[in-house]
Amino acid sequence: MTRVALYIELFTINNFLSINSFYTRLKMIKGIFKKSVLACTLVMLSFTSLLAQNAKSSNAAAFKTSIQKGEILYKQYCLTCHQADGYGVPNMNPPLIKTNYVTGDKKKLIAWVLKGSGTTKLNIGGKTYQNKMAPQKNLKDEEVANILTFIRNAFGNKGTRVTIDDVKAFRAVNK
């Protein structure tokens, strides 16, 4: 019964029983409304929880896929200098194992890949690595993101994912 119908009933009644009946119906509707709001709230909370679980599951799957693709690309572009085990070549190419420049600031790592090392000599654990890394501008944003996500999570490293958006943002600022 709609509000309008209830108001019409109120104005058309002629005796106390009709008013009492109207009041009883109004209380009943109010109780149903409260229960409906509660039920809707519970449904929405459950739905939100499911969405969050799906998002986590989706993010975990994307993270895993990025690592898998990154491993393939690493073998194609990086393995020669940094080796299959990530230890690099002493005094030439730096290791990728548990070093701050790999697991630290993503922007610095993206810069290193896209701009190259220039004349910078890298010092890790008291050892200097002198080989110059050439800029890898030819790599697509997705390829850079996947390679770096792989490196940040391979060889005993535990790092966050490098996303395509991270690489795009870097390129946009550093044209």
Side-chain angles (χ1 to χ4, degrees), residues 2-69:
T2 67
R3 263 190 207 173
V4 173
L6 288 172
Y7 289 134
I8 291 171
E9 183 178 335
L10 178 63
F11 291 120
T12 58
I13 53 175
N14 293 327
N15 60 42
F16 179 76
L17 288 176
S18 294
I19 292 173
N20 194 24
S21 172
F22 171 77
Y23 182 72
T24 303
R25 282 191 205 164
L26 194 58
K27 282 175 50 179
M28 183 179 73
I29 290 170
K30 185 178 176 185
I32 291 171
F33 179 74
K34 283 182 180 177
K35 289 177 184 174
S36 296
V37 169
L38 179 61
C40 287
T41 303
L42 291 174
V43 168
M44 289 182 67
L45 287 172
S46 296
F47 184 69
T48 304
S49 176
L50 285 174
L51 286 176
Q53 287 173 1
N54 285 343
K56 284 180 185 176
S57 175
S58 176
N59 286 340
F63 188 70
K64 185 177 179 181
T65 300
S66 183
I67 291 172
Q68 290 169 341
K69 289 179 178 180

Side-chain angles (χ1 to χ4, degrees), residues 53-135:
Q53 287 173 1
N54 285 343
K56 284 180 185 176
S57 175
S58 176
N59 286 340
F63 188 70
K64 185 177 179 181
T65 300
S66 183
I67 291 172
Q68 290 169 341
K69 289 179 178 180
E71 182 177 15
I72 293 165
L73 292 164
Y74 175 86
K75 289 175 182 176
Q76 183 178 352
Y77 295 107
C78 312
L79 182 128
T80 303
C81 296
H82 295 286
Q83 306 299 299
D85 59 8
Y87 276 99
V89 177
N91 302 317
M92 291 178 62
N93 304 314
L96 303 174
I97 298 172
K98 297 182 182 176
T99 59
N100 190 40
Y101 79 91
V102 170
T103 58
D105 185 5
K106 292 191 270 187
K107 292 177 189 172
K108 288 181 182 178
L109 192 57
I110 293 168
W112 197 275
V113 171
L114 294 179
K115 290 182 158 187
S117 61
T119 58
T120 305
K121 293 180 182 179
L122 191 60
N123 188 315
I124 299 173
K127 297 178 183 176
T128 301
Y129 298 88
Q130 301 179 34
N131 209 8
K132 295 176 186 170
M133 181 171 164

